[in-house]
Amino acid sequence: EAGVAQSPRYKIIEKRQSVAFWCNPISGHATLYWYQQILGQGPKLLIQFQNNGVVDDSQLPKDRFSAERLKGVDSTLKIQPAKLEDSAVYLCASSSVTSGTDTQYFGPGTRLTVL
Amino acid sequence: AQKITQTQPGMFVQEKEAVTLDCTYDTSDPSYGLFWYKQPSSGEMIFLIYQGSYDQQNATEGRYSLNFQKARKSANLVISASQLGDSAMYFCAMREGGTFIFGSGTRLSVKP
């Protein structure tokens, strides 16, 4: 079974530029999560989708971050315009309610550096 | 208030010895789940073990076990027979309602 796929793995941009990250969850997983992990900290949930609907986006800085999961499968997270403090690893995870535990399985992450 | 607290920023353990990584949590929800993840230097989060709030027995997965003390609201991870490959960051996480909260992590270093 293929795991969670993310691209790109690394991205370097200058502040005020825009950037987009892509995530493809494990096949059949209805729930998809985007996390931001700043160096030295634990992951912070940005947004959670159930199929193509948003369950929780309370910690998403909506003035500059947006995310979509139009067909209930893959998802895109966008930052526009980027700030220096957005430098972090962006992790995508997915889970299946049928597992009974909602265990999240993570992708390799995208390391973003904003100069 | 912190929902998930990991009080050990760093730990050292000798190869082949057991080590306990601490995690305390705070919730008023009777139904919740507790998870431990390993994050090696490569960056990927690897699921290790899960404990549900209604589970009567402590979870075990190979060399990993979760010491679940519900009254104390603690969910410590025990790694038996440490290996060099266990050197990594370890995160405790809680599912409360539909959302997940992670602790700040503990960096484990295994010495040969």
Side-chain angles (χ1 to χ4, degrees):
Chain A
E1 180 183 76
V4 177
Q6 288 188 251
S7 67
R9 292 295 312 278
Y10 304 92
K11 190 73 176 179
I12 301 174
I13 61 173
E14 295 190 348
K15 59 183 179 183
R16 291 187 287 273
Q17 286 187 325
S18 62
V19 64
F21 313 126
W22 175 81
C23 172
N24 194 35
I26 292 172
S27 177
H29 280 196
T31 311
L32 185 147
Y33 313 79
W34 283 103
Y35 287 88
Q36 180 192 59
Q37 187 178 21
I38 292 172
L39 187 64
Q41 299 181 16
K44 182 183 85 171
L45 181 67
L46 292 176
I47 189 167
Q48 177 182 341
F49 292 95
Q50 180 77 21
N51 295 308
N52 60 350
V54 175
V55 174
D56 183 357
D57 64 355
S58 57
Q59 297 195 86
L60 186 74
K62 298 180 185 65
D63 57 334
R64 298 184 300 106
F65 286 65
S66 64
E68 60 183 14
R69 193 185 184 199
L70 292 175
K71 295 182 180 178
V73 181
D74 58 347
S75 175
T76 302
L77 176 70
K78 296 179 182 177
I79 307 175
Q80 182 179 12
K83 293 185 175 181
L84 296 177
E85 59 260 37
D86 298 333
S87 293
V89 175
Y90 291 83
L91 295 164
C92 180
S94 69
S95 68
S96 168
V97 294
T98 58
S99 73
T101 67
D102 274 0
T103 297
Q104 296 176 84
Y105 296 93
F106 285 80
T110 296
R111 185 177 298 275
L112 174 66
T113 302
V114 182
L115 303 175
Chain B
Q2 293 282 346
K3 288 275 192 177
I4 293 283
T5 303
Q6 295 181 253
T7 57
Q8 307 150 313
M11 290 276 288
F12 287 92
V13 64
Q14 202 69 36
E15 193 178 7
K16 298 188 179 70
E17 291 186 351
V19 63
T20 298
L21 306 184
D22 295 341
C23 173
T24 57
Y25 60 93
D26 182 26
T27 181
S28 56
D29 193 333
S31 178
Y32 53 90
L34 297 159
F35 303 79
W36 277 92
Y37 285 86
K38 172 184 178 181
Q39 189 175 44
S41 56
S42 60
E44 188 163 352
M45 297 284 280
I46 301 167
F47 167 69
L48 296 177
I49 196 165
Y50 165 82
Q51 180 84 41
S53 59
Y54 295 119
D55 293 343
Q56 297 293 319
Q57 293 188 325
N58 287 342
T60 60
E61 290 285 350
R63 294 187 299 112
Y64 305 107
S65 60
L66 199 153
N67 185 0
F68 182 45
Q69 298 189 46
K70 198 169 183 176
R72 293 187 174 186
K73 293 187 176 179
S74 74
N76 299 339
L77 177 71
V78 180
I79 305 175
S80 63
S82 296
Q83 302 172 356
L84 296 179
D86 294 334
S87 293
M89 284 290 290
Y90 289 81
F91 291 96
C92 179
M94 176 174 67
R95 184 197 67 237
E96 180 187 46
T99 195
F100 285 80
I101 305 156
F102 282 78
S104 56
T106 295
R107 181 172 297 280
L108 178 67
S109 299
V110 181
K111 298 187 289 186

